[in-house]
Amino acid sequence: MRDAEEGPDGEASTRAEAFLEILGRVQPGDVEAELSACGIGPTVEVAEQVLRSRICYSRPKSAVRFFVWAERSMKLTSYAWNLLVDILGKAAMFEPMWDAVRSMMQEGPGLLTVATFASIFASYIAHGKLKDAIRAFDVMERHGVKPDAVALNSLLSAICRGEGLAQAAQDQFERTKATIAPDADTFAILLEAWEKEGNVQRAKSTFGEMVVRVGWDARNMPAYDSFLSTLVRGDHFDEALKFLHVMRTKGCLPGLKFFARAIDVAVRKRDYVNSIAIWQMMVSDASLIPNLAMYNAIIDLCCNTGNTDYAFRMLDEMPFNGIFADSATYNAILEGLIKHNKAREAEAFLVEMSKNEKLPSATNCAAAISMFSKEFNPSAAIDVWRCIVEHQITPADESARELIVGLLDFGRFSEVKKYTDEMFDMGIELPLSTIENMKHIFDKAGRRHTYDHIVTRLNRC
C-alpha cells in the first residue's frame, strides 16, 4: 500500500511520493536540504497528502521539517496545521504541539478551531493525561476558540474512549453544564460511556436529565440505543421494555444494536410474546432491517413454539431485505416441523432444502426418519437416508438405526438387507438391541436366511 493517498491529480500523488521517499530515507536534520535539492515544489494539496501519511505519523520530527520547508513556499491551510498538531500530539511531543498552536494564533484568525483542540484532547487522553486534556479545554478561549457544546462533546468523547473514565466525563459535564448548554450529542456520549461500563443507575440519571434538558428527538437514536442496551445488559429487561414503549409513544426509537440485544435476550428466555412485539416494532416502526443472526433466532423461537407459518413468512421476506437464509435457518424450520409432527410439510420442505442446496443436520435427519416411519411413510424416510449417503452427512449412526427400525416395522425385509449392507460398507455399527430385534422379526417372518446374511456381513466388519 502506498503512503500517499490517491487523489484526482496524478501529478500531486507523484510529488507526494517523492517527498515521502525523502522523509522515510534521510535523518530529520537533513530533510529540508534534501527537499530543496530535489527540484520539486510543494502545493497545498501535496502538503496535506504528505502530512496525513503513515510516514509523517511514524517520523514526527521529519514531518515538522517538511511542514517548515513547505510553509516557506506558501500559506498552508488550517487542515494542514491541524495535521501537524495531531502528529505531534500522537507522538506525545506536547511542547512542540503547543508551539504549533501558538504559531497558528500568530498566523491570524481562522486557523485555530475546535477541531484543533479535539485532536489535542484525544492525544492527551491516549497518553493517560486526563488533567492535561481538561486544562487544554479550559484555555481554549484564551486561544480565541469558544468552548461551546461541540468543544465540550469533543472533550467528553475523548475522555470516554479511555478505559474506566465515564465518571471523569460526568464530572466534567457537571462542572461545565451551567455555562455551556449541553445538546443531544452530549448526552449520547455520556450514555454510551455508561453502557460501556454497565452502570445502570448512572445511565438512568443521565437519561432523565437528557429528557428534561433537550426533550424527545427521533434523531437522538444513539442515546436511546445506549440507554436501553445498558438496561438489557444489566438484566433489567422488563424495565427496558417499559422505556421502549414510552419512547414509541414519543415517536423515538433506538437502533439495531438494542433490538438485536433485546431479541437475543427474549429468545433465550423463550419469551415468544415479547420477542414478536419487539420484532414488529423494529421492522414496522423503526424501519430497521434485521441481520441473519436475528432472523435465525426469531425463526427458531417461532418453530419451537409451533408457529411455523410465521417462520415461513419470515423465510420468504428475507431475500427482499437482502438477507439470505443459511443452513441454520432451514434446519430451525425443519426441526420445528418435526417437533410438532408436521410430516407432510416436513417432506415438502426437505425437497425445498435440496433445491436450495441446504442440507439437513444429522440430528434432523434421524428425527425426520423416525417421524416418517411413525407416520407410515417409509419412502420419505428412505429419501432422507439417500440424502445422508449422497452428501455424506455425519454422524449417521442414529439415522441408520431409525431407518432399520422403521423398515422392520413395515416388513420391508429386502430393503432392510439392502440398507444394512450399505451401512456396513459405510462403517456404521448398528446397536446390539437393533440386531436382536431384527433376529426376532426375521425368525417370526420365516426369513432367517436374510438375518444370517446380515450377521455374516456384520461379523466381517
Side-chain angles (χ1 to χ4, degrees):
M1 183 185 294
R2 296 191 298 183
D3 284 291
E5 296 181 17
E6 288 292 348
D9 188 343
E11 182 184 350
S13 287
T14 302
R15 287 189 187 202
E17 288 173 3
F19 294 149
L20 288 167
E21 189 277 328
I22 293 170
L23 296 181
R25 175 170 52 82
V26 305
Q27 293 298 313
D30 300 325
V31 164
E32 291 182 66
E34 285 281 339
L35 289 169
S36 298
C38 75
I40 304 174
T43 66
V44 170
E45 179 190 358
V46 168
E48 291 173 356
Q49 274 189 264
V50 170
L51 288 168
R52 64 175 175 255
S53 70
R54 290 193 306 268
I55 285 177
C56 280
Y57 275 86
S58 63
R59 298 172 69 98
K61 291 182 180 179
S62 294
V64 172
R65 298 287 187 173
F66 169 79
F67 186 94
V68 170
W69 174 78
E71 240 252 320
R72 290 199 198 103
S73 304
M74 62 196 165
K75 187 174 180 65
L76 292 175
T77 61
S78 175
Y79 177 51
W81 278 97
N82 284 344
L83 283 170
L84 179 64
V85 169
D86 196 54
I87 289 167
L88 294 170
K90 293 289 191 297
M93 297 172 63
F94 296 117
E95 283 302 322
M97 178 187 75
W98 282 108
D99 288 341
V101 170
R102 285 186 281 271
S103 295
M104 291 172 77
M105 284 187 69
Q106 293 169 5
E107 285 288 317
L111 280 183
L112 269 175
T113 63
V114 170
T116 313
F117 281 90
S119 168
I120 293 170
F121 304 151
S123 294
Y124 274 132
I125 296 298
H127 289 91
K129 295 180 177 291
L130 171 63
K131 291 181 180 178
D132 289 317
I134 294 173
R135 275 194 287 267
F137 178 83
D138 291 340
V139 301
M140 284 180 69
E141 198 154 20
R142 201 181 305 168
H143 290 81
V145 181
K146 184 176 176 59
D148 57 9
V150 175
L152 174 62
N153 293 346
S154 297
L155 175 61
L156 296 181
S157 180
I159 293 173
C160 291
R161 282 196 292 271
E163 194 65 36
L165 293 180
Q167 186 58 53
Q170 182 71 37
D171 292 343
Q172 178 65 18
F173 168 74
E174 297 292 343
R175 189 170 73 91
T176 58
K177 68 182 182 182
T179 55
I180 301 174
D183 60 15
D185 288 340
T186 311
F187 291 101
I189 292 165
L190 292 173
L191 285 167
E192 185 177 356
W194 295 129
E195 178 195 3
K196 182 179 174 183
E197 296 191 6
N199 193 322
V200 173
Q201 292 308 315
R202 295 314 301 262
K204 286 183 184 180
S205 173
T206 300
F207 183 79
E209 185 170 356
M210 179 187 75
V211 171
V212 171
R213 282 181 169 268
V214 301
W216 295 95
D217 187 343
R219 295 170 298 180
N220 203 12
M221 181 185 287
Y224 306 133
D225 214 25
S226 292
F227 174 57
L228 294 179
S229 295
T230 305
L231 294 180
V232 172
R233 179 183 168 191
D235 202 25
H236 291 250
F237 181 72
D238 292 339
E239 192 171 8
L241 292 186
K242 291 177 183 177
F243 274 108
L244 178 61
H245 288 297
V246 171
M247 288 178 189
R248 185 186 187 187
T249 65
K250 303 294 184 180
C252 300
L253 287 169
L256 193 62
K257 178 177 69 174
F258 163 73
F259 281 112
R261 184 169 287 172
I263 287 171
D264 177 65
V265 171
V267 167
R268 282 192 281 109
K269 290 162 68 84
R270 290 305 185 204
D271 185 348
Y272 176 78
V273 173
N274 278 322
S275 294
I276 297 301
I278 294 168
W279 183 275
Q280 290 296 341
M281 197 181 300
M282 174 180 64
V283 297
S284 299
D285 298 337
S287 299
L288 295 172
I289 296 176
N291 57 35
L292 178 60
M294 295 168 72
Y295 266 113
N296 283 349
I298 205 77
I299 284 173
D300 179 68
L301 179 63
C302 288
C303 290
N304 267 285
T305 54
N307 194 349
T308 51
D309 289 341
Y310 195 88
F312 277 121
R313 287 202 298 274
M314 286 193 170
L315 181 65
D316 290 338
E317 81 175 32
M318 288 173 71
F320 294 102
N321 287 328
I323 309 294
F324 299 96
D326 61 5
S327 292
T329 320
Y330 281 93
N331 272 289
I333 294 175
L334 179 59
E335 182 180 348
L337 294 172
I338 295 169
K339 178 180 179 180
H340 296 281
N341 208 39
K342 297 183 178 182
R344 279 185 294 181
E345 291 94 330
E347 184 177 6
F349 191 65
L350 280 163
V351 173
E352 182 180 341
M353 288 180 69
S354 178
K355 288 178 181 177
N356 291 318
E357 299 182 344
K358 297 294 187 291
L359 297 176
S361 66
T363 301
N364 276 343
C365 285
I369 291 172
S370 174
M371 177 185 67
F372 289 138
S373 296
K374 291 172 183 174
E375 292 296 314
F376 307 102
N377 192 350
S379 297
I382 290 171
D383 286 341
V384 176
W385 176 254
R386 285 174 180 157
C387 176
I388 292 170
V389 174
E390 180 182 353
H391 297 287
Q392 300 179 349
I393 299 172
T394 58
D397 303 65
E398 187 62 22
S399 293
R401 187 190 71 80
E402 291 289 354
L403 180 64
I404 295 304
V405 168
L407 292 175
L408 285 170
D409 287 344
F410 288 113
R412 299 176 72 154
F413 302 125
S414 59
E415 286 173 309
V416 170
K417 176 178 176 295
K418 172 185 174 181
Y419 290 114
T420 52
D421 281 344
E422 186 173 57
M423 291 166 189
F424 294 150
D425 289 338
M426 293 167 63
I428 294 173
E429 292 185 13
L430 292 171
L432 182 60
S433 59
T434 304
I435 300 297
E436 290 175 348
N437 184 47
M438 193 186 298
K439 178 178 182 298
H440 172 73
I441 292 174
F442 277 131
D443 281 345
K444 189 175 179 181
R447 299 288 297 265
R448 182 57 184 260
H449 61 283
T450 306
Y451 171 75
D452 290 341
H453 166 83
I454 291 170
V455 171
T456 300
R457 281 296 320 271
L458 176 62
N459 291 333
R460 285 185 201 154
C461 297

